[in-house]
Amino acid sequence: MARVQFDDVTKVFEDTSGPIVAVEELSLEIPDGEFVVFVGPSGCGKSTTLRMLAGLETITDGEIRLDGQPVNDMSPKERDIAMVFQSYALYPHKTVRENMAYGLKLSTDLSDEEVNRRVVEAAEMMGIEDLLDKKPGSLSGGQQQRVATGRAIVREPAVFLFDEPLSNLDAKLRKHMRTELSRIHSELGITTIYVTHDQEEAMTMADRIVILDNGQLQQVGSPKEVYYRPANAFVADFIGSPSMNFFDVDLHVESDGTGTLVGEGISYGVSEEIVDAVGGEGEYTLSIRPENLRVDDTVPPAKRFEAEVDVVEIVGSDNFLYLRVGGKECRLRAPVEVEPAEGEIVDVTFDESDLHLFDRNTEEALVHGHERAETARRTVEQEA
Ligand code: ATP
C-alpha cells in the first residue's frame, strides 16, 4: 500500500496545432488506503493524470512520489501499480484463469501453486470462480469487467487505478459494480484512484473527490464538502443532479442592514449576516439546488418570486419542475403531490441557509448560506 503525491505536476502535449496543456501544476496528496475519485468533463486531464502515475505517460514538469519515493524515472513495472481500463483488455484466446495469472507470471517468480492460490482467491472475491475455465468471448460485459478487476487484485499492488471502468455497463449493473468495488476497497484497503466523468459515481464511491477542469484542480474534498461547500461556480454546477440554478443578481442593502438580491426574475430578501459575509452591495451569482427550491405562497412576499411552469417531469420518487423565472430555465425538485399545470404561475421560495453566492467575475464562492445560518445560530446561543 502506498501514499501518492503529485507535486506541481504538469503535462504538455506537443500537437501539430501547438502545445496542449493537459494537466497544469497539479499538487495533491493521497494518503495510504484512501479511495479517491477524479471527476470532470471530457478532456479535463483525468486520464492523463492517471497515466502519468502509472508510468504510461511522461511528466513534463513536477514530481510524482509513491511513499515519498520519486517515480518520474521508474518504468511502469517498477511502480507496483495495477490499472483497470474501460476496455477490459483481456486476451481473447486465453481462459479467465490464464488472463488473471498472466501478468503475475510475467512480473514475479512466484510458484505456479502460489499464482493459482491468488487467482482463485481473487476470483472468489469477484464472484467469478465458475468462469475460470471460460474464454472472455463467452462472458457478458459485467463478467469481463469482473475478470479485469480480478486480474488487478491478483497482483496485490500498492495502488489501484481505475479509468472509467464501468462505462460500458448498463445502469443497473454499473450501480451494482460500484458497491462491489467499494466493498473490495474496504476489504483490501489498497490506495485507489478512480476516474469518471459521472458525478454520481464520484459522490457514491469516494472518500475524497478531486474535481478537475481544463487541466486545473478545482477542489478536493469529501462528497459532502463539495456538495455543501463548492469552491466555485464550476464545482457547484458539476456536482449534483439535476444541476444547480444560477442567477445573476445585484445586492441592494436596505437602511436596516438587511439586503435584497435582485435580478433575472428574482427578488429575494436576505439577512444582515449574508450582506456582511458577502461584503455589501455588488454584483453576484446566486445559486440554489433544485432540491432546495419549493413551491410555496405562504412565506412573506420578500422571500418568494414568481415562476411559470414549463414542464412537469414525473420520475416516481419526485416531480421535476422545469420553470421559467425571468425568461431563464430553473429546475425545482418537488414532492410527488406538487404537480402544477403546465403554464401555471407558481410562487417559489428557498431557505436562506440553502443559498450560495459567488463572485460574478472570478466565480469563486463567497458565501454558503448554511455556514451563515450556523454562525448566526451560534451567536444567538452565545448571547443567550
Ligand atoms: P475523457 O473523459 O474524454 O477521457 P480526460 O479528462 O481523461 O477526458 P485526457 O484524456 O487526460 O482528458 O486529455 C486531456 C487533454 O489532453 C485533452 O485536451 C486531450 O485532447 C489532450 N491529449 C490527451 N492525450 C493526448 C495526446 N496523446 N496527444 C495530444 N493531446 C492529447
Side-chain angles (χ1 to χ4, degrees):
M1 289 191 276
R3 173 168 55 108
V4 178
Q5 288 164 282
F6 293 89
D7 209 351
D8 270 336
V9 171
T10 294
K11 174 68 189 183
V12 182
F13 288 106
E14 291 304 332
D15 198 60
T16 43
S17 54
I20 296 172
V21 184
V23 179
E24 194 173 349
E25 294 179 3
L26 174 70
S27 290
L28 178 67
E29 181 163 343
I30 301 168
D32 188 11
E34 196 171 49
F35 194 121
V36 170
V37 179
F38 285 11
V39 72
S42 184
C44 70
K46 309 180 291 290
S47 297
T48 304
T49 307
L50 219 57
R51 290 172 57 79
M52 286 192 286
L53 174 57
L56 303 174
E57 201 72 77
T58 57
I59 300 165
T60 311
D61 213 349
E63 194 166 70
I64 298 181
R65 291 193 287 272
L66 283 179
D67 270 342
Q69 186 81 6
V71 296
N72 289 33
D73 299 323
M74 278 188 195
S75 70
K77 226 167 143 185
E78 291 169 305
R79 296 186 193 199
D80 197 11
I81 289 176
M83 192 156 171
V84 180
F85 300 91
Q86 177 180 348
S87 62
Y88 316 122
L90 301 173
Y91 296 106
H93 56 282
K94 291 186 194 295
T95 62
V96 166
R97 187 190 303 277
E98 287 162 349
N99 263 287
M100 288 173 71
Y102 187 64
L104 208 53
K105 282 189 173 162
L106 271 192
S107 60
T108 64
D109 46 15
L110 294 175
S111 66
D112 285 354
E113 205 179 14
E114 173 63 6
V115 169
N116 195 48
R117 190 192 61 76
R118 285 207 203 175
V119 167
V120 171
E121 205 174 282
E124 279 170 2
M125 199 173 261
M126 294 307 301
I128 49 169
E129 315 90 291
D130 298 346
L131 309 177
L132 282 171
D133 296 315
K134 297 203 164 165
K135 298 264 174 70
S138 64
L139 306 182
S140 69
Q143 289 169 330
Q144 290 188 40
Q145 182 54 59
R146 282 167 195 275
V147 175
T149 307
R151 182 177 54 182
I153 293 174
V154 160
R155 289 184 45 195
E156 300 179 1
V159 181
F160 271 134
L161 305 182
F162 290 93
D163 195 354
E164 307 241 9
L166 309 182
S167 303
N168 291 341
L169 306 181
D170 67 49
K172 197 169 167 206
L173 194 52
R174 216 158 52 219
K175 283 200 175 149
H176 180 69
M177 285 301 290
R178 271 187 215 161
T179 324
E180 289 272 283
L181 292 177
S182 296
R183 175 183 60 79
I184 282 161
H185 175 255
S186 33
E187 270 177 40
L188 299 174
I190 293 177
T191 314
T192 300
I193 306 180
Y194 185 103
V195 160
T196 178
H197 60 270
D198 179 346
Q199 61 88 31
E200 193 183 307
E201 213 159 273
M203 292 293 277
T204 51
M205 297 177 86
D207 291 327
R208 280 193 310 158
I209 299 181
V210 174
I211 299 154
L212 298 169
D213 185 36
N214 226 348
Q216 289 173 349
L217 182 63
Q218 301 296 311
Q219 188 169 5
V220 185
S222 68
K224 276 192 178 161
E225 271 165 36
V226 299
Y227 179 86
Y228 287 106
R229 303 212 323 261
N232 55 41
F234 175 83
V235 174
D237 191 30
F238 197 80
I239 299 291
S241 176
S243 54
M244 275 238 204
N245 297 295
F246 292 91
F247 299 95
D248 286 347
V249 292
D250 293 338
L251 174 64
H252 301 301
V253 179
E254 318 295 341
S255 53
D256 64 355
T258 63
T260 309
L261 297 167
V262 182
E264 299 201 292
I266 297 251
S267 179
Y268 182 86
V270 289
S271 66
E272 206 173 335
E273 280 83 25
I274 297 286
V275 172
D276 290 348
V278 85
E281 291 200 334
E283 296 183 335
Y284 303 102
T285 301
L286 163 70
S287 52
I288 315 157
R289 295 198 181 277
E291 53 270 40
N292 295 142
L293 282 173
R294 63 181 189 278
V295 175
D296 186 351
D297 59 5
T298 64
V299 295
K303 285 281 187 188
R304 57 184 147 103
F305 46 92
E306 287 187 343
E308 184 182 345
V309 180
D310 246 0
V311 175
V312 179
E313 211 174 74
I314 295 171
V315 294
S317 55
D318 310 281
N319 288 348
F320 290 154
L321 273 46
Y322 293 87
L323 309 169
R324 291 254 139 224
V325 177
K328 199 170 183 175
E329 188 190 274
C330 171
R331 295 165 297 279
L332 182 156
R333 197 164 107 192
V336 284
E337 58 275 14
V338 179
E339 198 182 339
E342 291 177 7
E344 192 178 329
I345 305 292
V346 292
D347 278 311
V348 171
T349 188
F350 58 90
D351 292 339
E352 181 175 294
S353 56
D354 290 326
L355 66 73
H356 303 264
L357 287 167
F358 298 92
D359 184 302
R360 182 95 64 86
N361 298 315
T362 64
E363 300 197 338
E364 294 298 314
L366 298 171
V367 175
H368 302 299
H370 59 92
E371 289 177 347
R372 285 298 113 198
E374 181 65 10
T375 315
R377 188 184 60 73
R378 264 191 254 125
T379 313
V380 171
E381 278 175 5
Q382 276 163 11
E383 284 171 0

